[in-house]
Short mmCIF file of all heavy atoms in Angstrom, two decimals:
data_model
loop_
_atom_site.label_atom_id
_atom_site.label_comp_id
_atom_site.label_asym_id
_atom_site.label_seq_id
_atom_site.Cartn_x
_atom_site.Cartn_y
_atom_site.Cartn_z
N LEU Y 1011 -81.34 63.82 -85.81
CA LEU Y 1011 -81.74 63.04 -84.62
C LEU Y 1011 -80.63 63.09 -83.55
O LEU Y 1011 -80.98 63.17 -82.32
CB LEU Y 1011 -82.00 61.55 -85.01
CG LEU Y 1011 -83.19 61.38 -85.89
CD1 LEU Y 1011 -83.29 59.84 -86.33
CD2 LEU Y 1011 -84.39 61.66 -85.14
N VAL Y 1012 -79.38 63.06 -83.96
CA VAL Y 1012 -78.28 63.18 -82.96
C VAL Y 1012 -78.36 64.52 -82.32
O VAL Y 1012 -78.21 64.60 -81.06
CB VAL Y 1012 -76.90 62.93 -83.70
CG1 VAL Y 1012 -75.79 63.32 -82.77
CG2 VAL Y 1012 -76.83 61.56 -84.13
N LEU Y 1013 -78.57 65.61 -83.03
CA LEU Y 1013 -78.76 67.01 -82.50
C LEU Y 1013 -79.89 67.07 -81.44
O LEU Y 1013 -79.71 67.63 -80.33
CB LEU Y 1013 -78.92 67.97 -83.56
CG LEU Y 1013 -79.02 69.40 -83.09
CD1 LEU Y 1013 -77.72 69.82 -82.46
CD2 LEU Y 1013 -79.32 70.32 -84.27
N ILE Y 1014 -81.04 66.43 -81.83
CA ILE Y 1014 -82.19 66.43 -80.91
C ILE Y 1014 -81.82 65.65 -79.70
O ILE Y 1014 -82.16 66.17 -78.51
CB ILE Y 1014 -83.42 65.83 -81.69
CG1 ILE Y 1014 -83.90 66.86 -82.74
CG2 ILE Y 1014 -84.53 65.53 -80.70
CD1 ILE Y 1014 -84.93 66.21 -83.60
N LEU Y 1015 -81.22 64.53 -79.77
CA LEU Y 1015 -80.85 63.73 -78.60
C LEU Y 1015 -79.86 64.48 -77.72
O LEU Y 1015 -79.98 64.46 -76.48
CB LEU Y 1015 -80.15 62.36 -79.08
CG LEU Y 1015 -79.86 61.35 -78.00
CD1 LEU Y 1015 -81.05 61.00 -77.23
CD2 LEU Y 1015 -79.16 60.26 -78.50
N VAL Y 1016 -78.86 65.15 -78.33
CA VAL Y 1016 -77.95 65.99 -77.48
C VAL Y 1016 -78.58 67.05 -76.75
O VAL Y 1016 -78.40 67.29 -75.60
CB VAL Y 1016 -76.79 66.46 -78.36
CG1 VAL Y 1016 -75.86 67.50 -77.57
CG2 VAL Y 1016 -75.88 65.32 -78.91
N ILE Y 1017 -79.54 67.71 -77.37
CA ILE Y 1017 -80.26 68.81 -76.79
C ILE Y 1017 -81.13 68.32 -75.67
O ILE Y 1017 -81.17 68.89 -74.55
CB ILE Y 1017 -81.09 69.58 -77.82
CG1 ILE Y 1017 -80.12 70.36 -78.74
CG2 ILE Y 1017 -82.02 70.60 -77.14
CD1 ILE Y 1017 -80.84 71.03 -79.91
N ALA Y 1018 -81.80 67.21 -75.91
CA ALA Y 1018 -82.67 66.56 -74.87
C ALA Y 1018 -81.70 66.12 -73.70
O ALA Y 1018 -82.19 66.25 -72.56
CB ALA Y 1018 -83.39 65.42 -75.35
N LEU Y 1019 -80.62 65.64 -73.96
CA LEU Y 1019 -79.64 65.21 -72.89
C LEU Y 1019 -79.23 66.40 -71.98
O LEU Y 1019 -79.12 66.36 -70.87
CB LEU Y 1019 -78.46 64.49 -73.47
CG LEU Y 1019 -77.53 63.77 -72.57
CD1 LEU Y 1019 -78.17 62.65 -71.79
CD2 LEU Y 1019 -76.32 63.24 -73.41
N ILE Y 1020 -78.96 67.51 -72.67
CA ILE Y 1020 -78.45 68.76 -72.01
C ILE Y 1020 -79.70 69.25 -71.14
O ILE Y 1020 -79.48 69.64 -69.98
CB ILE Y 1020 -77.99 69.78 -72.96
CG1 ILE Y 1020 -76.76 69.35 -73.56
CG2 ILE Y 1020 -77.84 71.11 -72.37
CD1 ILE Y 1020 -76.26 70.23 -74.72
N ILE Y 1021 -80.84 69.26 -71.65
CA ILE Y 1021 -82.04 69.82 -70.94
C ILE Y 1021 -82.51 69.02 -69.81
O ILE Y 1021 -82.66 69.48 -68.77
CB ILE Y 1021 -83.22 70.13 -72.02
CG1 ILE Y 1021 -82.88 71.18 -72.96
CG2 ILE Y 1021 -84.45 70.47 -71.25
CD1 ILE Y 1021 -83.82 71.46 -74.07
N PHE Y 1022 -82.73 67.75 -70.14
CA PHE Y 1022 -83.29 66.87 -69.06
C PHE Y 1022 -82.24 66.15 -68.19
O PHE Y 1022 -82.55 65.59 -67.19
CB PHE Y 1022 -84.17 65.84 -69.73
CG PHE Y 1022 -85.34 66.56 -70.45
CD1 PHE Y 1022 -85.44 66.53 -71.79
CD2 PHE Y 1022 -86.37 67.06 -69.71
CE1 PHE Y 1022 -86.46 67.10 -72.47
CE2 PHE Y 1022 -87.41 67.76 -70.36
CZ PHE Y 1022 -87.51 67.73 -71.70
N GLY Y 1023 -81.08 65.96 -68.65
CA GLY Y 1023 -79.99 65.26 -67.90
C GLY Y 1023 -80.15 63.77 -68.20
O GLY Y 1023 -81.12 63.20 -68.62
N PRO Y 1024 -79.02 63.06 -67.88
CA PRO Y 1024 -78.93 61.66 -68.22
C PRO Y 1024 -79.85 60.77 -67.26
O PRO Y 1024 -80.25 59.67 -67.76
CB PRO Y 1024 -77.45 61.19 -67.99
CG PRO Y 1024 -77.01 62.22 -66.97
CD PRO Y 1024 -77.78 63.51 -67.24
N LYS Y 1025 -80.22 61.24 -66.19
CA LYS Y 1025 -81.11 60.44 -65.29
C LYS Y 1025 -82.56 60.45 -65.66
O LYS Y 1025 -83.33 59.54 -65.57
CB LYS Y 1025 -80.98 60.76 -63.80
CG LYS Y 1025 -79.61 60.62 -63.28
CD LYS Y 1025 -79.54 60.93 -61.80
CE LYS Y 1025 -78.14 60.60 -61.34
NZ LYS Y 1025 -77.94 61.03 -59.93
N LYS Y 1026 -83.04 61.61 -66.27
CA LYS Y 1026 -84.43 61.82 -66.61
C LYS Y 1026 -84.70 61.34 -68.11
O LYS Y 1026 -85.90 61.05 -68.32
CB LYS Y 1026 -84.86 63.26 -66.48
CG LYS Y 1026 -84.94 63.77 -65.10
CD LYS Y 1026 -86.15 63.32 -64.49
CE LYS Y 1026 -86.35 63.92 -63.08
NZ LYS Y 1026 -87.53 63.49 -62.48
N LEU Y 1027 -83.69 61.18 -68.81
CA LEU Y 1027 -83.93 60.81 -70.27
C LEU Y 1027 -84.57 59.44 -70.45
O LEU Y 1027 -85.60 59.38 -71.21
CB LEU Y 1027 -82.62 60.87 -70.99
CG LEU Y 1027 -82.67 61.11 -72.50
CD1 LEU Y 1027 -83.44 62.43 -72.72
CD2 LEU Y 1027 -81.29 61.23 -73.11
N PRO Y 1028 -84.23 58.37 -69.73
CA PRO Y 1028 -84.90 57.12 -69.90
C PRO Y 1028 -86.36 57.24 -69.54
O PRO Y 1028 -87.24 56.69 -70.12
CB PRO Y 1028 -84.12 56.12 -68.96
CG PRO Y 1028 -82.81 56.80 -68.90
CD PRO Y 1028 -83.00 58.19 -68.93
N GLU Y 1029 -86.63 57.98 -68.39
CA GLU Y 1029 -87.98 58.16 -68.01
C GLU Y 1029 -88.85 58.92 -68.93
O GLU Y 1029 -89.99 58.50 -69.19
CB GLU Y 1029 -88.12 58.96 -66.59
CG GLU Y 1029 -87.48 58.16 -65.42
CD GLU Y 1029 -87.36 59.11 -64.17
OE1 GLU Y 1029 -88.05 60.10 -64.06
OE2 GLU Y 1029 -86.57 58.75 -63.34
N LEU Y 1030 -88.21 59.94 -69.60
CA LEU Y 1030 -88.89 60.65 -70.65
C LEU Y 1030 -89.23 59.75 -71.79
O LEU Y 1030 -90.30 59.87 -72.38
CB LEU Y 1030 -88.06 61.81 -71.01
CG LEU Y 1030 -88.69 62.85 -72.01
CD1 LEU Y 1030 -89.90 63.45 -71.45
CD2 LEU Y 1030 -87.50 63.83 -72.44
N GLY Y 1031 -88.14 58.95 -72.25
CA GLY Y 1031 -88.47 58.00 -73.31
C GLY Y 1031 -89.51 56.98 -73.12
O GLY Y 1031 -90.36 56.76 -73.97
N LYS Y 1032 -89.60 56.58 -71.86
CA LYS Y 1032 -90.69 55.58 -71.46
C LYS Y 1032 -91.99 56.27 -71.50
O LYS Y 1032 -92.96 55.68 -72.04
CB LYS Y 1032 -90.34 55.05 -70.02
CG LYS Y 1032 -91.43 54.01 -69.60
CD LYS Y 1032 -91.13 53.55 -68.21
CE LYS Y 1032 -92.03 52.50 -67.67
NZ LYS Y 1032 -91.80 52.06 -66.38
N ALA Y 1033 -92.12 57.50 -71.02
CA ALA Y 1033 -93.41 58.18 -71.04
C ALA Y 1033 -93.78 58.46 -72.51
O ALA Y 1033 -95.03 58.35 -72.88
CB ALA Y 1033 -93.27 59.56 -70.34
N VAL Y 1034 -92.94 58.83 -73.37
CA VAL Y 1034 -93.26 59.10 -74.78
C VAL Y 1034 -93.70 57.72 -75.40
O VAL Y 1034 -94.63 57.72 -76.15
CB VAL Y 1034 -92.01 59.72 -75.52
CG1 VAL Y 1034 -92.25 59.68 -77.11
CG2 VAL Y 1034 -91.64 61.14 -75.08
N GLY Y 1035 -93.09 56.67 -75.12
CA GLY Y 1035 -93.44 55.43 -75.71
C GLY Y 1035 -94.83 55.02 -75.25
O GLY Y 1035 -95.67 54.45 -76.07
N GLN Y 1036 -95.13 55.16 -73.91
CA GLN Y 1036 -96.55 54.86 -73.43
C GLN Y 1036 -97.54 55.72 -74.05
O GLN Y 1036 -98.69 55.27 -74.42
CB GLN Y 1036 -96.56 55.00 -71.98
CG GLN Y 1036 -95.71 53.93 -71.12
CD GLN Y 1036 -95.68 54.16 -69.69
OE1 GLN Y 1036 -95.94 55.19 -69.20
NE2 GLN Y 1036 -95.35 53.10 -68.99
N THR Y 1037 -97.22 57.06 -74.26
CA THR Y 1037 -98.18 57.98 -74.93
C THR Y 1037 -98.46 57.56 -76.31
O THR Y 1037 -99.61 57.53 -76.69
CB THR Y 1037 -97.63 59.37 -74.84
OG1 THR Y 1037 -97.39 59.70 -73.50
CG2 THR Y 1037 -98.59 60.36 -75.47
N LEU Y 1038 -97.42 57.20 -77.10
CA LEU Y 1038 -97.67 56.77 -78.46
C LEU Y 1038 -98.35 55.49 -78.51
O LEU Y 1038 -99.23 55.32 -79.43
CB LEU Y 1038 -96.26 56.57 -79.08
CG LEU Y 1038 -95.52 57.91 -79.42
CD1 LEU Y 1038 -94.12 57.64 -80.05
CD2 LEU Y 1038 -96.22 58.76 -80.43
N ARG Y 1039 -98.12 54.55 -77.57
CA ARG Y 1039 -98.81 53.32 -77.58
C ARG Y 1039 -100.30 53.48 -77.32
O ARG Y 1039 -101.12 52.92 -77.98
CB ARG Y 1039 -98.23 52.34 -76.49
CG ARG Y 1039 -98.72 50.97 -76.52
CD ARG Y 1039 -98.00 50.04 -75.53
NE ARG Y 1039 -96.54 50.19 -75.57
CZ ARG Y 1039 -95.84 50.63 -74.54
NH1 ARG Y 1039 -96.39 50.95 -73.42
NH2 ARG Y 1039 -94.56 50.68 -74.65
N GLU Y 1040 -100.63 54.41 -76.43
CA GLU Y 1040 -102.04 54.72 -76.12
C GLU Y 1040 -102.69 55.49 -77.25
O GLU Y 1040 -103.84 55.14 -77.53
CB GLU Y 1040 -102.07 55.56 -74.81
CG GLU Y 1040 -103.54 55.94 -74.36
CD GLU Y 1040 -104.34 54.81 -73.93
OE1 GLU Y 1040 -103.72 53.80 -73.42
OE2 GLU Y 1040 -105.63 54.88 -74.16
N PHE Y 1041 -101.96 56.35 -77.98
CA PHE Y 1041 -102.54 57.03 -79.05
C PHE Y 1041 -102.79 55.99 -80.19
O PHE Y 1041 -103.85 56.04 -80.84
CB PHE Y 1041 -101.57 58.12 -79.59
CG PHE Y 1041 -102.00 58.82 -80.77
CD1 PHE Y 1041 -103.06 59.78 -80.70
CD2 PHE Y 1041 -101.49 58.49 -82.01
CE1 PHE Y 1041 -103.45 60.41 -81.87
CE2 PHE Y 1041 -101.91 59.26 -83.12
CZ PHE Y 1041 -102.86 60.13 -83.05
N LYS Y 1042 -101.92 55.07 -80.38
CA LYS Y 1042 -102.09 54.09 -81.44
C LYS Y 1042 -103.30 53.22 -81.17
O LYS Y 1042 -104.08 52.91 -82.03
CB LYS Y 1042 -100.91 53.31 -81.53
CG LYS Y 1042 -100.83 52.31 -82.73
CD LYS Y 1042 -99.48 51.55 -82.85
CE LYS Y 1042 -99.48 50.51 -83.87
NZ LYS Y 1042 -98.28 49.81 -84.04
N SER Y 1043 -103.43 52.84 -79.91
CA SER Y 1043 -104.55 52.03 -79.42
C SER Y 1043 -105.90 52.68 -79.72
O SER Y 1043 -106.84 52.14 -80.16
CB SER Y 1043 -104.40 51.57 -78.05
OG SER Y 1043 -105.53 50.91 -77.52
N SER Y 1044 -105.97 54.02 -79.22
CA SER Y 1044 -107.16 54.79 -79.44
C SER Y 1044 -107.52 54.96 -80.88
O SER Y 1044 -108.69 54.98 -81.13
CB SER Y 1044 -107.03 56.12 -78.67
OG SER Y 1044 -106.78 55.95 -77.31
N THR Y 1045 -106.56 55.24 -81.66
CA THR Y 1045 -106.78 55.45 -83.10
C THR Y 1045 -107.25 54.13 -83.67
O THR Y 1045 -108.22 54.20 -84.45
CB THR Y 1045 -105.43 55.86 -83.82
OG1 THR Y 1045 -104.93 57.00 -83.19
CG2 THR Y 1045 -105.64 56.09 -85.29
N ARG Y 1046 -106.76 52.94 -83.31
CA ARG Y 1046 -107.14 51.72 -83.90
C ARG Y 1046 -108.70 51.47 -83.43
O ARG Y 1046 -109.48 51.00 -84.18
CB ARG Y 1046 -106.26 50.63 -83.34
CG ARG Y 1046 -106.68 49.29 -83.95
CD ARG Y 1046 -105.62 48.19 -83.57
NE ARG Y 1046 -104.26 48.46 -84.16
CZ ARG Y 1046 -103.18 48.53 -83.41
NH1 ARG Y 1046 -103.22 48.20 -82.16
NH2 ARG Y 1046 -102.12 48.77 -83.94
N GLU Y 1047 -109.04 51.81 -82.16
CA GLU Y 1047 -110.35 51.56 -81.63
C GLU Y 1047 -111.31 52.48 -82.42
O GLU Y 1047 -112.47 52.05 -82.90
CB GLU Y 1047 -110.43 51.92 -80.19
CG GLU Y 1047 -109.89 50.87 -79.24
CD GLU Y 1047 -110.01 51.28 -77.90
OE1 GLU Y 1047 -110.79 52.14 -77.49
OE2 GLU Y 1047 -109.13 50.66 -77.03
N LEU Y 1048 -110.99 53.76 -82.59
CA LEU Y 1048 -111.82 54.65 -83.34
C LEU Y 1048 -112.02 54.20 -84.82
O LEU Y 1048 -113.09 54.29 -85.37
CB LEU Y 1048 -111.22 56.08 -83.30
CG LEU Y 1048 -112.02 57.21 -84.03
CD1 LEU Y 1048 -113.35 57.40 -83.32
CD2 LEU Y 1048 -111.20 58.42 -84.06
N THR Y 1049 -110.97 53.78 -85.44
CA THR Y 1049 -111.13 53.29 -86.80
C THR Y 1049 -112.00 52.03 -86.90
O THR Y 1049 -112.81 51.98 -87.74
CB THR Y 1049 -109.70 52.84 -87.40
OG1 THR Y 1049 -108.85 53.99 -87.31
CG2 THR Y 1049 -109.80 52.35 -88.82
N ASN Y 1050 -111.87 51.11 -85.87
CA ASN Y 1050 -112.75 49.92 -85.90
C ASN Y 1050 -114.25 50.40 -85.65
O ASN Y 1050 -115.09 49.88 -86.33
CB ASN Y 1050 -112.30 49.03 -84.78
CG ASN Y 1050 -111.04 48.32 -85.12
OD1 ASN Y 1050 -110.66 48.20 -86.28
ND2 ASN Y 1050 -110.38 47.83 -84.10
N ASP Y 1051 -114.48 51.34 -84.87
CA ASP Y 1051 -115.86 51.84 -84.51
C ASP Y 1051 -116.49 52.38 -85.76
O ASP Y 1051 -117.64 52.16 -86.21
CB ASP Y 1051 -115.93 52.81 -83.48
CG ASP Y 1051 -115.69 52.22 -82.11
OD1 ASP Y 1051 -115.66 51.00 -81.93
OD2 ASP Y 1051 -115.34 53.03 -81.15
#
């Protein structure tokens, strides 16, 4: 995990990393919501 974080920091830079994390979090939240809806259906 530390290696992945360091590589992401090098590739995206310190300013883009929080934005990238937020986007990944929103994507996972939407995926989880869609999965829950599909399961309920």
